[in-house]
Amino acid sequence: EVLGCTHAELGARLAEAWSLPDVLVDCIRYHHDPDARPTADSRVDVVHLADAVCILFGLGTGDDGLCYRPSAAVLGRQALTERELESLGAEVVEEVRAVQALFAR
């Protein structure tokens, strides 16, 4: 709010300033709202789903995961159900915990 844009837009602007490839700029810009992109891109979809898993399972974020839903259009394009995404998220959480345990020693 202070800067007048979202973190996704600010990140995309930085990526453009750093001359990163357009696909990375798009992945950053549309990771919360892939449906706002003029045409679908599976790479943007995958980043959106990864972000959704992290938010839904509280990885690297607050406790607002229950308020977040992945794009139905993206789930459809990627042939996933919300239940399958939740199952994938549970696996991701297990892997993250295993990695964290390695560093806790």
Side-chain angles (χ1 to χ4, degrees):
E1 288 180 25
V2 171
L3 298 175
C5 62
T6 67
H7 75 271
E9 184 57 34
L10 180 60
R13 289 180 191 176
L14 281 171
E16 288 171 331
W18 294 335
S19 300
L20 294 181
D22 290 343
V23 65
L24 291 179
V25 173
D26 280 358
C27 286
I28 295 166
R29 179 171 280 128
Y30 298 110
H31 73 278
H32 284 296
D33 190 10
D35 301 325
R37 191 173 187 279
T39 58
D41 185 307
S42 62
R43 297 164 295 189
V44 174
D45 287 356
V46 168
V47 172
H48 168 70
L49 293 173
D51 185 57
V53 164
C54 290
I55 291 171
L56 289 168
F57 284 87
L59 298 173
T61 184
D63 58 359
D64 61 347
L66 296 176
C67 301
Y68 190 80
R69 288 287 170 255
S71 162
V74 169
L75 288 172
R77 284 193 298 270
Q78 300 304 318
L80 285 170
T81 65
E82 280 198 47
R83 191 148 188 82
E84 289 170 324
L85 188 65
E86 290 169 5
S87 177
L88 177 63
E91 290 179 40
V92 168
V93 168
E94 287 179 26
E95 292 299 323
V96 167
R97 287 187 180 149
V99 170
Q100 287 172 330
L102 292 173
F103 288 99
R105 296 178 184 188

